């Protein structure tokens, strides 16, 4: 191998490791694979279903469970005191003192973009690292259908305008967080001749997705995985 081949291989490995260190994605125009997330109770009945989403280890000092923080400040800019969301975050923090919702949301934004693009590109290897088995099967079914009809999807993000927590739940060893993503993207699907069968390459679409991520808080693995997808009208 010449020096340029070695450089490209090194860059490919770096990019792959970098992607795994943040989180995930999904495509805009195709939504037949939306799946409701299993409840925390259902997930604790089957440890194989308690799946984590790739993310970096918390890179700051964890907040002790009994830290001197007022309820009004603990989840500032994330959840209002006394709300079900705040109570859910309290439950997760009680199980994992290193939990930081802002750090989580930063990773979730990256994961969202990665999963969308991996799905559009039919990148099964990337999707397997980011999705639970149930969600992966749904995504894979759509990819197989595209391949059967010799279609290709092109998706490009214009912006991710918002990523906000809408619910949180903790029970036994399972933590579950649901995020609403508001984004703008361009997506088009073409057949083997290049003719457009879905989408518009010149139109920016407003997309709202509601995704649920989960992990086992008793595990040393800090990763979360996508366990449920949905879209908001």
């Amino acid at each position: 191998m010449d020096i340029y081949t070695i450089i490209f291989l090194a860059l490919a490995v770096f990019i792959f490791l970098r992607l795994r260190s943040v989180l995930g994605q999904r495509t805009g125009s195709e939504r037949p694979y939306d799946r409701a997330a299993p409840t925390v109770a259902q997930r604790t009945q089957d440890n194989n279903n308690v799946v984590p989403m790739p993310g970096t280890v918390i890179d700051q000092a964890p907040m002790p469970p009994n830290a001197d923080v007022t309820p009004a400040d603990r989840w500032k800019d994330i959840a209002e005191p006394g709300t079900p969301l705040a109570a859910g975050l309290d439950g997760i923090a009680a199980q994992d003192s290193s939990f930081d919702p802002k750090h989580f949301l930063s990773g979730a934004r990256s994961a969202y973009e990665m999963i969308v693009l991996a799905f559009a590109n039919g990148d099964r290897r990337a999707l397997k690292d980011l999705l639970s088995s149930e969600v992966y099967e749904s995504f894979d079914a759509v990819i197989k259908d595209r391949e059967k009809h010799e279609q290709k999807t092109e998706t490009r993000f214009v912006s991710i305008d918002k990523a906000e927590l809408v619910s949180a739940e903790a029970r036994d060893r399972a933590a579950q967080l649901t995020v609403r993503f508001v984004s703008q993207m361009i997506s088009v699907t073409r057949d083997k001749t290049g003719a457009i069968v879905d989408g518009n390459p010149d139109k920016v679409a407003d997309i709202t997705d509601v995704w649920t991520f989960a992990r086992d808080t008793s595990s040393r693995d800090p990763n979360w995985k996508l366990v449920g997808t949905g879209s908001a009208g």
Side-chain angles (χ1 to χ4, degrees):
M1 293 189 292
D2 58 29
I3 185 63
Y4 295 105
T5 301
I6 295 173
I7 291 173
F8 285 130
L9 286 174
L11 284 173
V13 172
F14 173 78
I15 291 171
F16 174 75
L17 293 176
R18 188 64 179 165
L19 288 178
R20 290 198 61 183
S21 72
V22 273
L23 240 62
Q25 307 164 355
R26 161 163 164 329
T27 188
S29 60
E30 297 161 311
R31 304 187 179 282
Y33 51 82
D34 287 354
R35 293 182 63 91
T39 64
V40 168
Q42 291 171 327
R43 302 194 68 77
T44 54
Q45 292 172 4
D46 184 355
N47 287 337
N48 291 328
N49 286 337
V50 182
V51 283
M53 157 176 73
T56 56
V57 177
I58 301 299
D59 53 9
Q60 64 220 19
M63 181 177 68
N66 297 320
D68 187 17
V69 179
T70 65
D73 292 334
R74 187 173 197 187
W75 310 123
K76 187 177 181 181
D77 301 325
I78 298 292
E80 292 295 324
T83 61
L85 175 57
L89 293 174
D90 285 339
I92 294 175
Q95 293 182 358
D96 179 4
S97 62
S98 68
F99 172 67
D100 181 340
K102 291 183 179 180
H103 184 85
F104 169 85
L105 285 173
S106 176
R109 289 174 69 99
S110 299
Y112 176 64
E113 185 175 353
M114 280 191 290
I115 294 172
V116 170
L117 298 180
F119 172 76
N121 295 330
D123 188 347
R124 291 181 171 87
R125 179 175 296 180
L127 292 173
K128 278 189 175 181
D129 288 336
L130 299 163
L131 315 178
S132 70
S133 58
E134 298 92 340
V135 175
Y136 175 81
E137 289 173 3
S138 297
F139 279 47
D140 185 51
V142 177
I143 293 173
K144 286 179 179 176
D145 187 65
R146 284 202 309 247
E147 293 172 341
K148 177 182 177 180
H149 294 91
E150 298 183 82
Q151 298 173 349
K152 290 188 176 181
T153 296
E154 305 161 6
T155 297
R156 178 168 63 87
F157 274 91
V158 176
S159 65
I160 299 179
D161 302 316
K162 183 181 294 186
E164 60 180 358
L165 284 173
V166 294
S167 70
E169 187 178 2
R171 185 178 302 175
D172 295 331
R173 298 181 301 171
Q176 197 161 279
L177 292 166
T178 299
V179 184
R180 180 187 293 113
F181 298 98
V182 178
S183 65
Q184 292 185 322
M185 65 180 78
I186 297 172
S187 186
V188 61
T189 300
R190 303 177 188 270
D191 64 18
K192 62 181 179 180
T193 69
I196 297 174
V197 296
D198 189 27
N200 186 333
D202 302 314
K203 181 180 179 181
V204 177
D206 295 320
I207 305 295
T208 299
D209 284 313
V210 180
W211 285 10
T212 300
F213 301 93
R215 70 175 290 261
D216 181 348
T217 56
S218 67
S219 171
R220 292 183 178 181
D221 185 351
N223 298 334
W224 299 71
K225 279 191 178 179
L226 179 64
V227 298
T229 62
S231 56

